[in-house]
Amino acid sequence: EDRVRPATALPHHPLSDRHQNMLALLTDVREAGSWRRYVNQPRVDLMVLLRLCSSGRALPPADFYTRLRALPSALTFQVLSFWRTPRDAP
């Protein structure tokens, strides 16, 4: 008669820091909806800040706002596309 062994639980191995960071990155990208949205989010946040500043609902850093305020929105985003954030690939 063959005896069936009871299923044993696999040992729990905690994730290394590297794996936890990768999992967090993948979760953030999934929440953003795509890699492109994830990477562009800091630029979008900056555009929102500019809009809030122009409507008087936020106070900007002095030098920053005066330089970008003069540009139209489409041109501002084009300029910001050259801004490297920590989310951009090296």
Side-chain angles (χ1 to χ4, degrees), residues 3-46:
R3 295 184 122 190
V4 178
R5 290 187 187 183
T8 58
L10 295 173
H12 176 69
H13 296 287
L15 295 176
S16 68
D17 288 341
R18 183 176 177 188
H19 289 104
Q20 287 178 351
N21 291 341
M22 181 61 71
L23 186 59
L25 172 66
L26 293 174
T27 302
D28 291 345
V29 170
R30 175 175 248 171
E31 287 175 0
S34 71
W35 176 255
R36 181 175 226 149
R37 285 184 178 178
Y38 171 78
V39 170
N40 278 329
Q41 190 59 48
R43 293 176 187 92
V44 171
D45 292 344
L46 203 49

Side-chain angles (χ1 to χ4, degrees), residues 41-89:
Q41 190 59 48
R43 293 176 187 92
V44 171
D45 292 344
L46 203 49
M47 291 295 291
V48 169
L49 176 62
L50 286 172
R51 293 269 174 137
L52 290 172
C53 292
S54 66
S55 68
R57 295 173 52 197
L59 295 174
D63 288 343
F64 165 77
Y65 183 65
T66 56
R67 293 179 186 167
L68 288 177
R69 179 176 65 178
L71 299 174
S73 293
L75 187 56
T76 301
F77 198 79
Q78 183 67 30
V79 169
L80 292 178
S81 70
F82 292 99
W83 172 47
R84 308 307 292 169
T85 71
R87 292 183 176 187
D88 290 310

